[in-house]
Amino acid sequence: MAKRYEVRSSISRHTAEELINRLANDETFRKRFEANPRTVLFEHRIDVTPESLPEKVTLPPADKIKELLPVATALVDETASPFGFLLLFIVFGAMPVVTVARPAGDAAG
Amino acid sequence: MPRVRRARYVCFFFDDFPFFDLEQLLQGSVEPIAVRQVYALSVLTGQAVALDADEFDLVSTTPADDWVEPADAEQARELALRGVLLSDEDDAELAALRARHESLEELGWKLEAALYYFLSKWQGLDLRELAGQDPASDLLPPDDEAVQAFVDLLGMPPPAFEPVAASARVRELPFVEREGGLYDVLLRRRTTRSFDAATPLGLEELSVVLEYVFGYHGYAPLFGEVATLKRTSPSAGGFHPVDAYPLVTNVDGLEPGLYRYDGRDHAVELVAPLEAGEARRTAATFVCGQTYFADAHVSIVLAARFDRAFWKYRNHPKALTAVLMDAAHLSQTLYLVATELGLGAYVTAAINNVDIEERLGLDGYRRGVLAVCGVGKPAAEPSPFDPQFVPLPRRAQ
């Protein structure tokens, strides 16, 4: 019987961005992830059953993650996000424009 | 076991965002995917809460009108703490969320209006920090490079003037020149961002502003104690649910502090005294670090009495719009009165609503902040933020 892969996820856009960024750029975080994958994923609101994890977790190279991030980004229409995706601030002598990457209350991260 | 019910002041939406296939990732390879995530948007916490499939199932099968024992108590408690469910557990945080929900229901907040109002409130936002500037200094205008980067990113804005269709029938109207009085005031009216800190505002000047902008000038009994009121600005139903809370920074004969204006008896009630420097810092916090506004001699918080507005317009789709319009009318009247007095005025919606409500002791549900306006002695030199207007060329008559 094939091994069943079970995961419960309530990861938010913000948390996903943060996780990808650290997987791509933070070597200490990557080592901790490989050593304690279930704990780290749970901290990011992803609950993987122990049986679903491989015996040894080996992350793909950081460069590979960086390289394929644009491919993932292209799968969705960022402009259609209800959260927006930019951090802008500017004052033109009138009402300041503040567009945040997510609502102040995106607590799911 | 604590019981739960679904909060009514919640709505759901989906968001797609880029991620990687987790199973592949754990085995050392990268497979880009788009995650389709469902969120609950909770008015109670002002937060978007990402839900997994089990959580969504629990929420969608929990009734809103009946307390039930959840199958998964821990999961239900977590959702209650995030404002998606309500819990009858004897816990201070959960009790506060229940009380907020009761207030919303009792007052007749329309769901759509509540979502907009409560999720657009700001707290602790400082434009100086966002701009990478010193939060203890004055806000500086952006340089040309920053403005160019903004335009490069977003492109040019739509034209200022909508072009007339070639096929449209156009009737040119005569320009009728009017001078003096109201017309002169209307043309001189503008936002002031540079105030003269060396010259205090006169108590009589403040008194005129408050009386003719926020004071009540008429009373029409309708039925028993129900009455419609008259101010110099219009209000839906004549209810005038917007109150003024002056934050006095520099007024001759009036100590700095937070006040509530009593528009019936034309008096100010001290809410909290402040030192002069503290008053200015408080004003800057209120207006998100817009220090050019914080320099005004008096900033005036416009706060709605939603319980009064919604007494008549209960669960009404236009109720919040009407309240927001009231605040807008009052701010324009403030500009006109200030201009006539030779004073400067401002209004801004870029405010830290939650911080202001905490300082004023408003609960945010029955009473909530809408905008901040202000008045003061204008400085001789304009602010670098001020646009320099030139007359618009008119078509030939």
Side-chain angles (χ1 to χ4, degrees), chain B residues 3-87:
Chain B
R3 298 172 306 162
V4 295
R5 67 183 178 96
R6 194 177 70 252
R8 292 184 193 279
Y9 288 91
V10 171
C11 76
F12 301 90
F13 70 95
F14 290 84
D15 183 29
D16 299 354
F17 55 84
F19 200 52
F20 297 120
D21 182 281
L22 192 62
E23 192 173 9
Q24 297 286 323
L25 192 79
L26 295 172
Q27 293 173 3
S29 59
V30 186
E31 178 67 33
I33 60 166
V35 172
R36 323 280 182 212
Q37 179 65 60
V38 61
Y39 288 81
L41 211 50
S42 170
V43 174
L44 303 182
T45 56
Q47 293 178 340
V49 179
L51 301 177
D52 67 31
D54 288 350
E55 289 170 330
F56 185 70
D57 189 50
L58 173 61
V59 173
S60 59
T61 56
T62 301
D65 53 1
D66 196 15
W67 293 98
V68 296
E69 290 191 354
D72 186 334
E74 190 181 340
Q75 187 181 53
R77 188 174 197 278
E78 169 84 2
L79 288 167
L81 286 168
R82 299 163 85 191
V84 184
L85 296 178
L86 298 171
S87 168

Side-chain angles (χ1 to χ4, degrees), chain B residues 310-325:
Chain B
F310 297 168
W311 175 81
K312 181 175 179 183
Y313 302 112
R314 186 178 179 78
N315 280 313
H316 194 293
K318 299 294 186 185
L320 181 62
T321 301
V323 173
L324 296 174
M325 285 175 65

Side-chain angles (χ1 to χ4, degrees), chain A residues 4-11 37-38 41-42 44-53, chain B residues 19-24 26 33 51-54:
Chain A
R4 192 169 167 202
Y5 177 71
E6 288 184 42
V7 59
R8 276 179 54 195
S9 169
S10 59
I11 192 168
R38 194 155 184 256
L41 286 170
F42 194 76
H44 292 78
R45 305 198 68 85
I46 299 173
D47 189 4
V48 184
T49 58
E51 303 76 41
S52 299
L53 288 169
Chain B
F19 200 52
F20 297 120
D21 182 281
L22 192 62
E23 192 173 9
Q24 297 286 323
L26 295 172
I33 60 166
L51 301 177
D52 67 31
D54 288 350

Side-chain angles (χ1 to χ4, degrees), chain B residues 145-287:
Chain B
E145 196 179 331
V147 176
Q148 186 60 52
F150 186 85
V151 173
D152 289 347
L153 186 67
L154 300 179
M156 292 301 291
F161 304 105
E162 184 77 2
V164 178
S167 59
R169 288 179 58 184
V170 176
R171 168 74 185 270
E172 292 186 341
L173 300 173
F175 287 108
V176 181
E177 298 295 339
R178 304 288 292 178
E179 290 182 349
L182 174 65
Y183 299 95
D184 181 51
V185 169
L186 285 168
L187 293 178
R188 286 193 288 119
R189 181 222 71 96
R190 63 173 297 160
T191 296
T192 297
R193 298 179 186 82
S194 179
F195 294 92
D196 178 7
T199 310
L201 185 70
L203 184 61
E204 287 194 0
E205 290 171 311
L206 175 61
S207 186
V208 171
V209 168
L210 292 177
E211 182 180 1
Y212 285 92
V213 180
F214 302 106
Y216 293 102
H217 300 271
Y219 173 91
L222 297 177
F223 179 78
E225 294 296 313
V226 181
T228 185
L229 301 170
K230 183 159 189 338
R231 269 176 168 167
T232 53
S233 297
S235 174
F239 260 63
H240 287 290
V242 177
D243 284 350
Y245 290 81
L247 167 50
V248 173
T249 303
N250 187 8
V251 176
D252 198 17
L254 191 60
E255 65 174 306
L258 272 166
Y259 293 82
R260 185 185 75 85
Y261 177 63
D262 175 356
R264 171 183 161 155
D265 291 330
H266 187 47
V268 286
E269 169 196 346
L270 184 62
V271 176
L274 299 167
E275 298 296 327
E278 188 187 359
R280 201 257 189 188
R281 285 192 296 277
T282 302
T285 300
F286 282 10
V287 297

Side-chain angles (χ1 to χ4, degrees), chain B residues 314-381:
Chain B
R314 186 178 179 78
N315 280 313
H316 194 293
K318 299 294 186 185
L320 181 62
T321 301
V323 173
L324 296 174
M325 285 175 65
D326 278 17
H329 297 318
L330 289 165
S331 68
Q332 166 71 346
T333 306
L334 174 80
Y335 272 55
L336 298 179
V337 173
T339 303
E340 198 278 332
L341 291 169
L343 302 175
Y346 81 84
V347 64
T348 180
I351 59 170
N352 283 315
N353 314 56
V354 176
D355 298 305
I356 300 173
E357 286 161 2
E358 285 176 2
R359 290 301 295 270
L360 292 174
L362 307 178
D363 68 358
Y365 293 83
R366 292 172 190 281
R367 311 285 160 91
V369 173
L370 307 172
V372 175
C373 51
V375 65
K377 297 272 192 189
E381 291 297 315

